[in-house]
Amino acid sequence: MSDDRRLPGVVDRDGERRVRVMAGLELSRGRAALALLGVALLFAVPDLTPLLPGVKLLVVHQGLLFGFAAVGLNLLLRHTRLVSFGHAAFFGAGAYATAVLATHYEVAGLFTLLATALVAAAVVATVVGYLSLRHTGLYFALLTLAFGQLLFAIAQGQQFLGGSDGLSVRPGPGRGGAPTILGQVFAPEVYELLVYYLTVVVVLVGLLVMYRLANSPIGNALDAIGQDRTRAQFIGIPTRRYVWAAFVISGVYGGIAGGLYGVAVKHVRPEATLHFLRSGEILFMAILGGFQTLLGPLIGGVVFFFLKIGGRNFTDYFDALTGVVLLLVVFGFPRGIVGSLGGDRSVRARAAAVRSDPTVVLEWAVAGVGRLGGALRTAARNVRSVFGGT
Amino acid sequence: MVALENVAIHTLNGVQYGFVLFLIASGLTIILGILDVLNLAHGELFALGAYVTSSLVGALVGAAFTPDSGLGFLLVVLAGSALAAAVLVPVGLFLEAVLLRPIYERDEVYQLVLTFALLLVIKDAIKYVWGPKPVRLEGVYSGINALATVSIAGRTFPTYKLLIIVVGAAVTVGLFYFFERTKTGRIVRATAIDREMATAIGVDVDRTFTLVFAMGAFFAGFAGAMALPPTQAHLEMGADPLVLSFVVIVIGGLGSLRGAFVGALLVGVLTRWATWLYPAMELAAPFAIMAVVLLVKPEGLFGSWGERA
């Protein structure tokens, strides 16, 4: 095959054709097609939502935004093995930054608002990180949750921040009740679309940056820190500074997502952005999608929001539904949606097995029932052992 | 000029609040210290205790007693609280033995997510049983008005708050006695220090863990029951106690009962003083103490669990 007939961006690696997205990221053809499909799907969402009853663009949009915050959280979770239970703090800091600027200072420019959201989240993450990164493990989770809830209490208590009613992001009269994009005022429908496309672009760029970061020397250092902090220190990695930097970057992702949430939803309430249940949900998205993967948290975010809307339609007990799904994920699919698609016991491997021999399903069912029975017996034995008998 | 009797009253208020905080935080801290589990559902167990108590005391007031005398009312409330807390023991047993035990060996993110899931489920279970609206308790706790107030330093102080202080002190003494002097308490502490060694000398670690978790659930429920009467039971009531007991644990030191006691009283008294002197500081006061402790003594005022209770 001669070089001149090759498409730009296509390279040969180990005898296989790969699509080069950027330095360090080369996808196999199948994956490149999937990625292209995913991107196209993201851009097509505004055209698809009218076809689906009960699905609004804003739902998908919010799912993407919270999922993006979860991508940030995942930097800590996947690499440094730190469980942050306070990521709503950064999301909320970003969202409130846009609301405060728009309401109290009449700032209308969308990009100014977003830049401020980024800075606000970075500042909050720097302070919270400084105080809580002295600890690891459960203690760290506890501290991040406490600081997040402090911000929630402040937002709810301060009149300046609107109390529990929150603040709207509608700067000044005569601007269509929405921020302006590059000085232009747009009709509400157009504005919604533009902000959505902006979100898609930000998410894609954010994912690429995260990929580069995870596969850079810094990412490797963070992996080392996650595996064994003492050993990482011995080989000369400045662990404190690295983890702190990762924490701030992770917070900035949350802040950008929060800022976009502010300008998209145009009203910021403490309950919806800062409450620690939101932190839990962000963590849930990462687990649901698969926290050992790059894309998992984002997909988890979108799935979670569909679950939320779908669940709200048929039950008042949406929280319990979330809880049960969470239990199922913890006990049944600990690797999450995306994580379950790869590996030798993956969905794809199983589908191939069924194609070659359909009776294997029966075997799995028997094994599954056996495992369930075993788990129940163990549980019963545990309960009995409490009362003395074994 | 700050009058002395005001200082006394606000301090007493703070001590009462501190004891409620200690009741909640003690359960959380022993579970954290011994099982290495951060139970995010602890606040919901607190709420569950409050709801169960409201129903139990309501039933007791309706059926057996007419709480026109102050003493009768206090007895009914105490009995109701103890019963409600007892209801939480089997709940704790179930949660630990069936749900938590299979995941001790796994990544800690899973136990956090699991207890978070339990938080959501318990919250909605409460909503299902008692409804989404706050449970008003004027009728149930009307007896509280029949109580004579106590006069302290020229100011009146509600007897019920005094009762909380007395009960809180009794529970504190009981807990320390349990962990310092009884055989079971020492076994629990030995398990916390070295799980493998405890197994080697014949301690049933599984059973110890279940016992500890049930104990934690009991105290969460008891705290909810005792804290309830002056207020109302509502769905969001679990969040603040959870976060405040986190603050208490950070101040006192991870999994230290002694630390939790000191931390709870510190937070209780300082919060009440802040509410009185600088109301704007009410929310921030506990966190301010926490931040200072984190900066000066990151491991907390008292070390960790085990060597001393």
Side-chain angles (χ1 to χ4, degrees), chain B residues 183 187 190-191 194-208:
Chain B
K183 192 179 166 199
I187 288 176
T191 317
D194 193 332
R195 240 177 249 188
E196 271 178 39
M197 197 59 197
T199 319
I201 58 170
V203 173
D204 186 341
V205 173
D206 288 349
R207 224 171 132 183
T208 311

Side-chain angles (χ1 to χ4, degrees), chain A residues 77 81 83 85 130-132 134-139 141-143 145-147 149-150 153-154 157-158 271 275-277 280-281 283-284 287 291-292 316-324 326-327 329-331 334-335 379 382-383 385-388, chain B residues 32 36-38 40 93 97-103 106-114 116-121 123-124 127-128 204 206-207 210 236 239-240 242-243 246-247 249-251 253-254 280 283-284 287 290-291 294-295 298-300:
Chain A
L77 188 57
R81 298 289 164 88
V83 188
F85 220 99
Y130 181 75
L131 287 171
S132 46
R134 291 160 176 248
H135 296 281
T136 55
L138 294 176
Y139 217 34
L142 182 157
L143 284 171
L145 198 162
F147 283 118
Q149 202 62 2
L150 169 64
I154 290 175
Q158 294 292 320
E271 190 79 31
H275 196 268
F276 83 97
L277 289 181
E281 283 170 6
L283 182 62
F284 172 36
I287 303 288
F291 73 95
Q292 296 292 5
D316 284 340
Y317 301 99
F318 168 73
D319 279 342
L321 182 73
T322 316
V324 171
L326 211 42
L327 288 178
V329 171
V330 167
F331 287 113
R335 286 180 302 173
N382 289 343
V383 172
S385 83
V386 174
F387 301 105
Chain B
L32 185 58
D36 244 342
V37 167
L38 181 62
L40 295 172
L93 290 181
V98 176
L99 293 174
L100 272 170
R101 191 167 303 167
I103 59 159
R106 288 170 49 189
D107 208 302
E108 71 193 5
V109 66
Y110 290 112
Q111 56 127 311
L112 279 168
V113 169
L114 177 72
F116 180 66
L118 293 178
L119 181 161
L120 296 174
V121 172
K123 192 173 173 165
D124 267 3
K127 189 164 141 192
Y128 179 75
D204 186 341
D206 288 349
R207 224 171 132 183
T210 315
E236 305 299 324
D240 283 347
L242 179 73
V243 176
F246 282 4
V247 172
I249 287 177
V250 173
I251 293 173
L254 186 66
L283 285 167
F287 291 96
M290 180 173 100
L294 277 175
L295 286 173
E299 71 280 10

Side-chain angles (χ1 to χ4, degrees), chain B residues 149 163 174 191 233 236-237 255-256:
Chain B
T149 50
L163 175 78
T191 317
E236 305 299 324
M237 69 186 294
S256 157

Side-chain angles (χ1 to χ4, degrees), chain A residues 37-295:
Chain A
L37 187 70
V39 172
L41 200 65
L42 276 180
F43 276 106
V45 163
D47 301 311
L48 295 176
T49 43
L51 306 176
L52 299 165
V55 178
K56 290 208 178 73
L57 177 60
L58 201 56
V59 172
V60 185
H61 198 161
Q62 286 187 39
L64 272 180
L65 290 175
F66 274 97
F68 191 63
V71 171
L73 170 112
N74 208 27
L75 175 67
L76 288 176
L77 188 57
R78 184 181 176 195
H79 300 287
T80 64
R81 298 289 164 88
L82 286 170
V83 188
S84 160
F85 220 99
H87 247 59
F90 314 127
F91 191 90
Y96 265 95
T98 62
V100 166
L101 272 195
T103 309
H104 294 300
Y105 301 100
E106 294 285 311
V107 176
L110 184 101
F111 289 100
T112 320
L113 293 175
L114 289 181
T116 321
L118 192 156
V119 173
V123 170
V124 171
T126 308
V127 176
V128 172
Y130 181 75
L131 287 171
S132 46
L133 281 168
R134 291 160 176 248
H135 296 281
T136 55
L138 294 176
Y139 217 34
F140 172 77
L142 182 157
L143 284 171
T144 47
L145 198 162
F147 283 118
Q149 202 62 2
L150 169 64
L151 289 196
F152 172 73
I154 290 175
Q156 223 173 17
Q158 294 292 320
Q159 215 45 57
F160 181 72
L161 296 173
S164 54
D165 291 335
L167 290 176
S168 66
V169 190
R170 296 172 193 279
R175 291 202 188 89
T180 55
I181 302 173
L182 299 174
Q184 303 293 311
V185 180
F186 290 96
E189 312 84 57
V190 183
Y191 175 81
E192 193 187 357
L193 268 182
L194 285 176
V195 176
Y196 175 78
Y197 287 132
L198 178 65
T199 301
V200 173
V201 171
V202 167
V203 164
L204 292 176
V205 172
L207 282 176
L208 288 178
V209 170
M210 188 59 84
Y211 180 86
R212 275 313 290 268
L213 193 66
N215 292 287
S216 69
I218 297 175
N220 294 339
L222 291 177
D223 275 331
I225 292 168
Q227 280 164 24
D228 193 326
R229 197 170 276 236
T230 318
R231 206 172 282 179
Q233 240 156 8
F234 279 165
I235 58 170
I237 299 171
T239 50
R240 266 290 295 273
R241 251 187 297 155
Y242 270 43
V243 176
W244 197 10
F247 190 83
V248 174
I249 294 171
S250 148
V252 163
Y253 269 69
I256 294 174
L260 281 165
Y261 173 93
V263 295
V265 180
K266 289 184 280 192
H267 193 93
V268 179
R269 291 178 54 244
E271 190 79 31
T273 55
L274 278 169
H275 196 268
F276 83 97
L277 289 181
R278 300 294 93 72
S279 296
E281 283 170 6
I282 293 174
L283 182 62
F284 172 36
M285 290 165 191
I287 303 288
L288 178 68
F291 73 95
Q292 296 292 5
T293 61
L294 177 72
L295 285 176

